Every structure is written in C-alpha cells, then in structure tokens.
Amino acid sequence: MALVTLIEAVTMALAHEMEKDTDVVVMGEDVGKNGGVFRATEGLQKKFGEERVIDTPLAEAMIAGLSVGMASQGMRPVPEIQFMGFVFPAVNQIMTAVARMRNRTRGRLTMPMTIRMPYGGGIHAPEHHSESTEALFAHIPGLKVVIPSNPSRAYGLLLAAMRDPDPVLFLEPKRIYRAVKHEVEDNGEAYPLETCFVDQEGDDVTLISWGAMMYETLQAAEKLAAEGINAEVIDVATVAPMDMTTIFESVRKTGRVVIVQEAPKAGAVGSEIAAEIAEHELLSLIAPIERVSGWDTVMPYAKLEGQYMPTVERILDGVKKVMAFK
Amino acid sequence: MSTAASFEIPYVQLLNEEAKPANDLPEFARDAEIMKKLYKDMHFLRAMDTKAISMQRIGRMRTYPGALGQEAVSVGAGSCLTKDDVLVPYYRGTGTMIQKGVEPHEILLYWGGDERGSDFKNPNCKEDFPIAVPIATQILHAAGVASAMKLRGQKGRAVLTEIGEGGTSEGEFYEGINVAGAWNLPMVCVINNNHWAISVRPDEQTSCETFAQKGIAAGIEVVQVDGNDVIAVREVVGKALDKARNGGGPTLVEAVTYRLCDHTTADDASRYHDQETHDKAWENEPLKRLKAYMVNAGLATEEDLDALQAMCKGEVDKEVEIYFDYLENKPQKPEAMFDYLYETLPEKTVPQREEVIRRAK
C-alpha cells in the first residue's frame, strides 16, 4: 500500500501496465526526460527506455495519427496530449480514424489505445488550459471517455482503459492531481468501465457528477446530511458510453436529481443524463431535474475563473430547489 | 554571405515522351513477363475505372474516383510491394491496392457504399489500411505503422503511402514526413501530382517549384519522377522501399502525371480545365508510351499487347459480378452498423440495435 495522489496513481498504473505488457508504449510531448509537464510519466523513461517512453515532435495530430498506425500493428499506445486545450488538431484523427477504425474495417483493424490528457479549470492556468470539453468526445460513437475523480479510481480506471480493446480518452482532472492522497495498492486490479460508482447512499436526492466536481459534490452532500437531507452521490466516471442503469435505480429511489458539471451547461454530458432520465424515468421524478454547471461562456482566464466554477454553495442552492417539491 | 545548406531535387525519367529508353534501364525493363504484367495491370485499372464510372451513371455505383492517365503511378509503385509491407492507401490508390493483393471487387464494394469492402480477405492485406478519405490523415497512419516496425526491430518490412499533390498542403502531411525523418522510419510516401486538386492548380496550391522539395524541410530523401513512365516509377519506388526495408529511412517521391478524368464521378472537370492542356496530356498518357517501348524493345508484339488489354474487360466483369452478388444476394445485415463499434456493444445502445432489427423485418 502506498499513500498516493491522483497523478502518482496515474504513474503507478502506467508503470504497472508497461511492466506487464511490452506492447504498451507511452508517447507525447515532454513525457520522456522531463516526465511530463505535470510529472505523470516521471521516471518511466529511465525504467523502460526511450523506445517505450517516447518524446515526440510537437504536433498533436501526429501523436494521435501515429498511435493509430501503432495500434493497427497490435501495439497499445498511451499517447499524452499535454493539455486538453491542445487536443483539437488531433480531433481529425480521433474522429475519422481512432473512433471508427474497427467499424471501417469490420473488425479487421482495432484501436486499443488510451489517450490521456489533463483537463478542467481551477488552477489559474493560462488561456486554453482550463476547459472541460468532454461532451465533444462523448458524442463520438466508438470512443470511450473516462474521468477519474480520486487516486484509487485513477489507478483502477487507467488500468482498465489500457486493457480495453477499444480506444479510451482518459481525462485527468488536473485541479485534483494533488488534492488528496489515497492508500492504493499496486495490485494491478482494474475497475470496470461499464458502471458508475455510488459513493454515498441516500434516499432524498441524487447528486450526479464526475471528475474534480466530485469534491464539491461530496462536500455538499456532507452539509446536506447535517441538515437531515440524505443525498445519494454518483460518480459517473465513464461518461461515454454511460451506465444509465445505476442512475435510473437511484432516481427511482430519490425522485430528485441534481447534476453537477464543470463544463458549460448546453449540449453537455449533463444534458444527456437529464434527457435519458426524462425519457425513461420521468414518472419517477418528484421535482424537475436541476443542473449546476459552468456557464455557457468561453472559459474565463484566471481572474474570473472563480466566478465560473460551480461551488458547494451553488450545489446546495440546486438541492434546495429540488427539495422544495414534496 | 555564405551558404548554410544547399539541396538538389533529382528527376528520374527512364522512358522519354517518345518512348525512347535511357541508356541504363533497370533489369526488369528487359524482362518481358514483368513488363507484360505491368502493361496488363495498368489496363485492368483503366478498364475497372471505366466500368465503375459507367455503373455510377446508371445508379449501380456511388461516388467513384478514377485514375485515368495516372495508372503508371499506382501500378508502378504498388508493384514494388511484398506481402510483408504495409500499404496505407488514399482514395486514388485503386491500382496500388490491387497490386498489394486487395480484391478488385472489395474496392468496388467500398465505393458502392458497403463497409465490407475494407475487410480485406487476402491474408497478404490483413494489416493494410482502408482507403483514407480525410486528406493526409493516412500519412500519419503510415508513420505509425512504420514506428511499430522500427520499435519492434522488424527488418525487411516497409510502409508505402500515397497522397495527391493538393494533400501536401495539409498540416498532417508535413507532420507525417517530419516524424518519418526525425525517427528514420521505414516509410515511402508517393505524391501523385496529377495537376489538379479537384479544381485547384499546383501554382494555386504552393509556390514550391516541385512537391518533392517539401521533403527537404523534413530532412528526408526526395526524388521527382516522371509519373507517366511506369519503369521510372517502379525503379524509384522500388529502390526507396528497399532502402526503407534495410534501415535506410524514408523517401518522398513526387510522381508527375496528369488527371485525364474528373476528380470523382461527382465532379465535372470541364468546368475548370483547359481543353488544350488536357488534349496535350492525352498524347503523353502512360500506356501509349509503354506499348511503344515494349514493341520497339521486342518484349511483345502489338498483337500480344492488344490481347492482354482485351482480357481486362472480361476480368473486370467477373469482379463486377462478385460485387453485385454481395449487394444483391449477401447484403449487410442492418445491425452491422452496431456490431463493429466496440468489441462489446454498450448496454445503453443495445435497444437501438434491436429496434433496427425489428424495423428491418
């Protein structure tokens, strides 16, 4: 057992899988000698060599496109995009090749790769470093989009992603890279990508979130408990394809839903959850679905970031609204 | 001022426009069997394109890109591939794919709108890529396959990829040749410079004097070749592939030819091309030149060559029959659109698949 942060858990999972499977190669900008700008790949090049922890030229489309070629040869590339804000040149590759090669070739060529990238706001980073654009990718059939919310899940979910036969975008909430430490045993045990995690059981209201916002959500749940409101808290974790079964079960129990996301509100993962609930569990609802989210604005720079990010207070206000319905 | 570095762009032509051979023709150019096969395969491609385009006109084919006048590029380059190489084709690479071993009816199936056309059945093509439509994305796939070969220490294998001259304006083309150079990858990229990117001319595309020179900036070997001279194309690409297979690194080959057809069946080149240039290009088309050379060199008689050409139509018709058989008697099941999305279809999507099956009944 080691007491590790989320980012250390990422490194631990990478090292574990590289040890076990020589087809796993890590590649990206500054991932080798420098160990990644956040140190996610710290020490890996020393341990596994320059041929398995590869410093690439500075070109994101190339990182994704090269991974396509390597995966087609049966390798399991784990490319890193330095920040999610820089993934857009690679979207051509992700959309037209990564997500659909299995389909295009009727299963002949597959794309077992895990594209890692830090995402989200809250660290007062420069422009283009703080967006939460998971919904853009969650919309693409053929991809899986996975977001860990704590060190244990980062370890278990990243192992699952690297072992998955299909491409996974692994979005690491960088605000909580070093927020807490968990006891994580390096036992190689993967977590399932097919299910949400129920982090707290409750009967009064279902709080649904993922990634860094799980912290505010769990804090809100704690405050609600002090007021006698029992919240059920769900960490979606795999936002695409999503496990609705767990969410529906909870909605049937509580009848009230608050979705918490850092991304802008419109056309987001939260919208999909709300639509699914409306489609399948409308009659289980006591109150309209409430979404607490980032605003429908361009992600502000550091100075206004605090006014953008959803807070515990806003979550509590959302819960108050749904609790008003009896 | 002194010179920091200087570069030359070599040009290779082994049969000139009058079909006169250069003094030092490669050995294969004296081999009647090899040359007859090249001649016939180029005619097969022309016959298949002609048939596909006429099928499109009567609604039995979807949008199809022909390669009229450019047969020496794809057939010449493709003829250098072995089963251990990997081909990463683009949409005008029909000739290259057939040379590698892809069944012609599979290519018809693909352009006919059936995904099974990219599930190549020939074991020699199991690792080959499907046709790349998004321009220049294939250059990176080729570099990725070549990276895998290099990282695994595989010798004797190389990757061949192709692109149009217009495609070399894409960032992903530069990114691909750049990494191929930086990592000394076993990769050969052939630019089919057919003078038209749909309706855009080379001088509107770039101020480079050649497309080959784009590889200079990537630090890789470059060569421009007469793309209407199949002997030159085969010689240049063959040497480049051999070099790549032996650890010598990548090569960028620009084959200069002319697109005598529309971009695809959805295009009408008469809207933008110049008739005089077009007519002149016809005089320089590759099969005429090859035939004149072979007859003059005593590799075959004119009658032999006409007989080879005549065989192609029947062979194309056989491929068309198989294509129709797939469409009419063995159509894809509607649920196939769900069956290759992931290894296991997500639970959430299962009802959609069931609905498609139910509604198709």
Side-chain angles (χ1 to χ4, degrees):
Chain A
M1 282 290 208
L3 197 60
V4 297
T5 61
L6 192 153
I7 194 157
E8 287 163 347
V10 166
T11 318
M12 198 191 254
L14 290 170
H16 186 97
E17 208 56 12
M18 292 189 79
E19 188 79 57
K20 201 180 114 248
D21 184 350
T22 53
D23 283 328
V24 176
V25 293
V26 166
M27 56 197 278
E29 297 156 8
D30 307 295
V31 300
K33 290 181 292 295
N34 200 31
V37 293
F38 286 101
R39 307 289 173 258
T41 53
E42 177 96 65
L44 294 182
Q45 194 181 61
K46 257 203 183 111
K47 193 163 179 200
F48 298 102
E50 289 180 10
E51 300 212 320
R52 294 191 60 206
V53 183
I54 308 166
D55 279 322
T56 66
L58 204 171
E60 288 79 13
M62 187 219 67
I63 293 169
L66 237 62
S67 302
V68 169
M70 290 161 81
S72 79
Q73 287 286 305
M75 299 187 82
R76 289 182 170 268
V78 187
E80 176 182 296
I81 301 293
Q82 201 160 74
F83 285 89
M84 194 185 195
F86 306 148
V87 73
F88 301 104
V91 172
N92 189 23
Q93 288 289 342
I94 293 171
M95 180 77 189
T96 65
V98 173
R100 58 177 72 181
M101 192 60 76
R102 178 190 287 278
N103 186 67
R104 291 178 64 203
T105 60
R106 286 300 184 246
R108 186 171 59 83
L109 299 178
T110 60
M111 294 287 114
M113 70 170 83
T114 303
I115 310 178
R116 296 178 40 248
M117 63 196 90
Y119 93 109
I123 64 162
H124 311 305
E127 191 181 12
H128 306 300
H129 286 64
S130 302
E131 290 77 4
S132 294
T133 48
E134 67 270 24
L136 298 178
F137 298 95
H139 187 69
I140 302 176
L143 273 190
K144 297 183 180 181
V145 182
V146 177
I147 307 178
S149 64
N150 63 43
S152 322
R153 275 175 209 164
Y155 180 78
L157 292 171
L158 181 53
L159 285 179
M162 290 189 283
R163 292 170 193 172
D164 201 88
D166 289 301
V168 177
L169 246 67
F170 195 78
L171 308 182
E172 297 164 8
K174 59 183 173 292
R175 178 162 64 96
I176 57 168
Y177 258 157
R178 295 180 172 85
V180 290
K181 290 188 175 189
H182 272 191
E183 289 282 358
V184 180
E185 194 182 343
D186 190 11
N187 56 8
E189 273 179 32
Y191 285 174
L193 299 181
E194 294 76 27
T195 57
C196 301
F197 297 87
V198 179
D199 277 351
Q200 181 179 308
E201 293 194 18
D203 301 323
D204 298 326
V205 57
T206 303
L207 306 184
I208 303 170
S209 192
W210 54 94
M213 274 299 141
M214 280 303 295
Y215 279 78
E216 281 72 17
T217 305
L218 284 164
Q219 281 173 44
E222 212 178 300
K223 289 206 154 83
L224 289 170
E227 295 171 27
I229 297 170
N230 294 320
E232 180 137 302
V233 182
I234 295 178
D235 175 7
V236 177
T238 299
V239 300
M242 213 180 315
D243 158 32
M244 292 311 303
T245 309
T246 305
I247 292 173
F248 292 159
E249 272 169 23
S250 182
V251 172
R252 284 197 288 272
K253 189 163 66 168
T254 65
R256 298 182 184 90
V257 177
V258 177
I259 301 164
V260 183
Q261 67 180 3
E262 200 176 301
K265 192 173 183 180
V269 170
S271 316
E272 174 65 11
I273 297 172
E276 282 282 338
I277 294 170
E279 214 174 306
H280 297 279
E281 292 296 339
L282 186 69
L283 301 180
S284 304
L285 289 174
I286 301 166
I289 296 166
E290 180 68 17
R291 284 178 288 162
V292 176
S293 78
W295 309 119
D296 287 331
T297 64
V298 170
M299 183 75 197
Y301 302 175
K303 291 293 182 190
L304 292 181
E305 194 178 38
Q307 277 78 59
Y308 172 91
M309 303 286 282
T311 56
V312 174
E313 191 188 338
R314 283 182 56 202
I315 299 169
L316 292 173
D317 287 349
V319 173
K320 258 180 216 138
K321 275 167 83 175
V322 299
M323 290 308 295
F325 291 82
K326 301 292 174 195
Chain B
M1 201 167 64
S2 58
T3 304
S6 60
F7 307 97
E8 279 186 353
I9 312 298
Y11 175 74
V12 179
Q13 183 188 54
L14 298 175
L15 286 183
N16 70 14
E17 286 78 358
E18 283 76 46
K20 294 282 180 298
N23 289 331
D24 46 352
L25 275 188
E27 217 169 282
F28 73 80
R30 310 273 183 214
D31 184 321
E33 290 317 305
I34 291 177
M35 293 312 296
K36 278 198 268 191
K37 184 167 181 344
L38 287 171
Y39 184 81
K40 183 175 169 221
D41 290 351
M42 285 165 67
H43 264 299
F44 180 89
L45 173 59
R46 190 170 287 188
M48 175 162 147
D49 281 355
T50 307
K51 181 73 185 178
I53 291 164
S54 66
M55 285 196 292
Q56 190 274 338
R57 303 300 185 221
I58 56 165
R60 304 206 77 180
M61 172 56 62
R62 317 315 305 171
T63 301
Y64 183 91
L68 188 63
Q70 307 142 74
E71 294 88 352
V73 178
S74 56
V75 173
S79 73
C80 307
L81 290 167
T82 75
K83 68 176 175 50
D84 295 326
D85 297 325
V86 173
L87 175 63
V88 184
Y90 84 135
Y91 55 84
R92 217 179 298 285
T94 304
T96 330
M97 293 170 78
I98 295 172
Q99 290 297 304
K100 180 69 197 305
V102 175
E103 303 286 351
H105 65 259
E106 291 177 327
I107 301 170
L108 294 174
L109 207 51
Y110 173 81
W111 293 112
D114 189 320
E115 287 88 346
R116 289 175 299 179
S118 298
D119 184 12
F120 309 141
K121 296 300 181 212
N122 183 340
N124 295 347
C125 301
K126 283 292 178 201
E127 296 172 36
D128 292 344
F129 265 63
I131 292 166
V133 170
I135 309 296
T137 53
Q138 74 275 16
I139 309 301
L140 295 171
H141 304 158
V145 174
S147 300
M149 289 174 179
K150 183 155 192 216
L151 289 169
R152 286 170 162 172
Q154 294 169 346
K155 290 275 183 284
R157 304 185 76 196
V159 186
L160 177 67
T161 189
E162 309 162 288
I163 190 167
E165 88 286 350
T168 68
S169 296
E170 290 274 6
E172 290 180 46
F173 166 75
Y174 289 100
E175 293 181 21
I177 60 171
N178 178 63
V179 73
W183 293 356
N184 199 41
L185 297 177
M187 165 177 149
V188 176
C189 176
V190 174
I191 302 169
N192 173 358
N193 175 5
N194 65 18
H195 287 82
W196 293 106
I198 303 190
S199 65
V200 179
R201 295 186 312 266
D203 66 300
E204 297 173 297
Q205 205 72 244
T206 178
S207 72
C208 286
E209 295 164 85
T210 68
F211 287 91
Q213 75 198 62
K214 294 189 174 196
I216 298 289
I220 67 178
E221 186 180 340
V222 304
V223 52
Q224 192 188 58
V225 60
D226 183 341
N228 290 341
D229 172 358
V230 73
I231 297 175
V233 173
R234 183 176 149 105
E235 173 68 2
V236 163
V237 175
K239 278 192 171 153
L241 280 168
D242 270 341
K243 183 186 76 165
R245 292 182 194 115
N246 293 312
T251 307
L252 180 65
V253 178
E254 175 193 358
V256 184
T257 179
Y258 194 88
R259 200 190 78 208
L260 290 168
C261 52
D262 297 329
H263 164 69
T264 64
T265 48
D267 177 42
D268 174 8
S270 70
R271 289 167 60 86
Y272 49 81
H273 79 188
D274 162 60
Q275 194 60 43
E276 201 182 326
T277 314
H278 186 84
D279 293 345
K280 236 177 117 193
W282 258 113
E283 289 168 24
N284 197 24
E285 66 91 7
L287 276 159
K288 199 173 104 185
R289 194 190 303 186
L290 182 58
K291 187 177 188 181
Y293 161 72
M294 290 176 70
V295 173
N296 290 340
L299 295 170
T301 64
E302 205 167 330
E303 292 72 35
D304 291 339
L305 295 178
D306 290 345
L308 287 176
Q309 179 180 347
M311 282 168 72
C312 294
K313 197 183 165 300
E315 290 177 13
V316 167
D317 287 345
K318 269 193 197 132
E319 294 293 329
V320 168
E321 264 174 49
I322 304 174
Y323 160 62
F324 285 159
D325 185 45
Y326 269 101
L327 294 190
E328 284 155 20
N329 303 321
K330 296 179 272 188
Q332 281 198 103
K333 292 201 170 81
E335 63 268 31
M337 70 176 98
F338 294 95
D339 291 345
Y340 306 94
L341 269 185
Y342 301 92
E343 190 179 78
T344 310
L345 190 66
E347 195 187 301
K348 188 170 173 258
T349 320
V350 171
Q352 295 180 12
R353 184 178 181 275
E354 285 165 359
E355 184 175 344
V356 164
I357 295 171
R358 181 167 54 77
R359 288 186 184 278
K361 273 181 186 158

